[in-house]
Amino acid sequence: TLALWERAVREFRILSAVDSSEKVKPLYSTSLFYLARAMLAENEQAKVMRLLDESIQLDPLNYFSYNLKALILGGQGDVDGAKKIYAYIVTREPKFASAYVNLGNLYWNARDYESAWDIWSMGHEALPQDPVLAKWTRVAEDSLKAMVYSGKL
């Protein structure tokens, strides 16, 4: 699939050069996102930030590119940068479940269980049918209850 997405990006690059309308930008942005994902699937260390930045520049509403960028930043240790991006996503698109899950995960991994619960429960409230947010909200709630009962909180 990497070769197909490379080809799609090349074709969108050409199309965007000859089409002055704004109609092609969201599709071009999406193709850059999928190219970045395909590159990461082949090599977890692939350098894709430039593609994601270009994707976001073309379509500032492409929250999938923001989300992937935040995942990468978090994986590289830039937790504050990742948190800022996730917070940006959930304020702009409150129905974007992955941003809640991933932001909660950052807090959970830092052992800030209260903040993780806050984020996941906020996401669960916005998306009550999402099974992942429901699960993690329960897990965090159970952990907080156990901490209260044991006197750790």
Side-chain angles (χ1 to χ4, degrees), residues 4 12 14 21 24 43 48 55 58 73 86 90 93 99 107 112 130 138 140 142 147:
L4 292 174
F12 273 115
I14 292 166
S21 75
V24 76
N43 175 7
V48 298
S55 172
L58 286 166
L73 288 174
Y86 292 133
V90 299
E93 181 52 63
Y107 285 111
D112 184 350
D130 188 281
R138 279 190 312 275
D142 291 345
M147 291 171 73

Side-chain angles (χ1 to χ4, degrees), residues 3 22 49 66 72 101:
E22 298 290 308
M49 288 300 236
Y66 281 106
I72 293 167
V101 172

Side-chain angles (χ1 to χ4, degrees), residues 8-9 19 22 31-32 47 50 55 65 67 78 82 85 93-96 108 125 131 140 147 149:
V9 166
D19 184 352
E22 298 290 308
S31 70
L32 289 165
K47 305 292 184 205
R50 182 188 57 77
S55 172
S65 290
N67 191 60
D78 185 359
I85 292 172
E93 181 52 63
K95 301 290 185 186
F96 199 90
W108 185 265
E125 186 176 312
M147 291 171 73
Y149 293 139

Side-chain angles (χ1 to χ4, degrees), residues 28-75:
Y28 186 10
S29 172
T30 299
S31 70
L32 289 165
F33 164 74
Y34 280 109
L35 174 59
R37 279 189 43 177
M39 289 172 67
L40 289 169
E42 286 209 358
N43 175 7
E44 291 180 2
Q45 303 303 316
K47 305 292 184 205
V48 298
M49 288 300 236
R50 182 188 57 77
L51 294 173
L52 295 172
D53 287 339
E54 186 178 355
S55 172
I56 291 166
Q57 183 179 353
L58 286 166
D59 182 6
L61 300 178
N62 186 337
Y63 298 114
F64 292 96
S65 290
Y66 281 106
N67 191 60
L68 184 55
K69 181 176 180 174
L71 278 169
I72 293 167
L73 288 174

